[in-house]
Amino acid sequence: MSIVDAPPQQEVHTLYHTHHAWLVSWLKRRLGCIHHANDLAHDTFVRLISKSLGTAHLDEPRAFLTTIAHGLMVDQFRRKAVEQAYLQALMHLPEAMAPSPEEQLALLQTLLQIDQLLHGLKPVVRSVFLLSKLQGLTYIEIAATLKISLRSVETHMAFALHHVLLSRSR
């Protein structure tokens, strides 16, 4: 039975056994750590299975796997950067104001959710949103700062707010 004729579980099984070692090697070259490479390879196949992605149509399975793995790798780097920035900010707090370990975890999880939400926006939309919400700039000031029209600022802000509202309803 070819991979095209195989049931979905068999497709993933065949894909795993055919390409897992190669994917781990590819990730190890990029991450420099066999343990992280194994973790991300595992996460790649979990993502493949959880999305119920069929594999029968794959002409280039390694390209498909590296696309998934690369996205996971970028997500991991971004999460670590957010966590590192958060830990740096905590170091500057007086000990009496430092949150408890439980509060730290909850805050970090919230920051990661916000980061993921913002990452889902195009860079210019994200900039408009952050300039408005974090720096308190008016739409006219944002337009001047980003050298875009006032109408573009309004459109980008509407899109950003819609994106935020949609993510809250999920």
Side-chain angles (χ1 to χ4, degrees):
M1 176 184 324
S2 75
I3 194 166
V4 174
D5 302 325
Q9 302 90 339
Q10 186 63 38
E11 292 172 9
V12 173
H13 179 78
T14 301
L15 190 66
Y16 181 88
H17 283 287
T18 305
H19 302 288
H20 180 265
W22 171 84
L23 183 61
V24 170
S25 176
W26 184 85
L27 287 164
K28 183 178 179 267
R29 284 191 307 273
R30 279 146 187 82
L31 298 170
C33 174
I34 188 69
H35 303 295
H36 289 128
N38 276 315
D39 287 345
L40 273 179
H42 171 77
D43 291 348
T44 299
F45 283 96
V46 168
R47 172 79 52 97
L48 178 79
I49 293 166
S50 70
K51 297 291 185 184
S52 300
L53 299 171
T55 57
H57 65 283
L58 296 178
D59 294 328
E60 297 292 332
R62 288 185 176 182
F64 181 71
L65 290 171
T66 56
T67 299
I68 294 172
H70 183 264
L72 291 170
M73 200 169 32
V74 168
D75 289 347
Q76 184 181 60
F77 290 147
R78 200 174 64 250
R79 279 192 307 274
K80 285 185 180 192
V82 168
E83 184 174 355
Q84 194 62 33
Y86 174 66
L87 292 174
Q88 288 290 323
L90 282 180
M91 288 176 41
H92 292 82
L93 284 177
E95 205 171 311
M97 294 182 66
S100 70
E102 295 83 10
E103 292 170 322
Q104 288 181 25
L105 179 61
L107 287 168
L108 181 58
Q109 289 172 338
T110 301
L111 285 172
L112 291 171
Q113 288 173 339
I114 292 169
D115 178 66
Q116 185 176 15
L117 173 72
L118 292 174
H119 182 70
L121 296 172
K122 292 180 182 177
V124 68
V125 176
R126 183 171 47 245
S127 294
V128 167
F129 182 77
L130 293 174
L131 287 170
S132 173
K133 297 302 178 187
L134 294 183
Q135 295 187 15
L137 298 183
T138 66
Y139 287 9
I140 293 172
E141 293 169 327
I142 295 169
T145 300
L146 297 178
K147 296 178 177 38
I148 59 176
S149 71
L150 179 58
R151 180 70 185 131
S152 292
V153 171
E154 292 168 345
T155 301
H156 293 324
M157 194 63 181
F159 183 84
L161 292 172
H162 180 73
H163 180 74
V164 169
L165 290 173
L166 278 179
S167 70
R168 290 183 68 195
S169 66
R170 292 181 197 152

